Amino acid sequence: NGAKYLAEHFHNIPNLQILKLGDNNIGDNGAKYLAEHFQYIPNIQKLELHRNNISEEEELIIKIEMAICKCIHSGLTILNVDGFIGEFGVKYLVDRFKYLPSNLQTLNVNGRNVGVDGLKYLAEHFHHLPNLCKFNLVSY
């Protein structure tokens, strides 16, 4: 898988800001490799993955990992997660809370279709964010 080889060499291009990989048939496995290696490209600002046979769930994981990477490596106290993440996305995000900076103060989530179970899971794990002062769960 070409995405695997590319992702494994992200450490050579830490200043990368824009990555356009549209129409490359990356698929879910390739998307997983990319998400696992975002830590090596902390300055990434834009990622284009259109028409790559990536499931909605894997696309969400990439968006969440990208947002977390930006937050961790830039020293931000705000985490913004876009993409209508739904219940699956909320559970994935919550499982990543332990990796977020302890000084995180604001969490903004576009959470359409989070559902009661997603909200419950989220609430039960806020203890990982001891300095959180502002939480926005936007649904439109």
Side-chain angles (χ1 to χ4, degrees), residues 46-100:
K46 184 175 184 177
L47 175 65
E48 292 183 7
L49 291 172
H50 57 278
R51 296 187 301 272
N52 267 304
N53 297 319
I54 299 172
S55 68
E56 285 183 29
E57 291 175 346
E58 285 303 322
E59 198 170 319
L60 284 171
I61 288 171
I62 286 175
K63 289 178 182 181
I64 291 168
E65 290 296 336
M66 224 172 112
I68 289 171
C69 180
K70 285 182 196 177
C71 183
I72 290 171
H73 292 285
S74 65
L76 291 175
T77 59
I78 297 172
L79 176 62
N80 297 307
V81 180
D82 295 321
F84 302 118
I85 69 173
E87 187 174 329
F88 169 83
V90 164
K91 287 184 176 179
Y92 184 86
L93 174 63
V94 167
D95 290 340
R96 307 298 287 161
F97 276 179
K98 60 186 167 225
Y99 301 107
L100 293 174

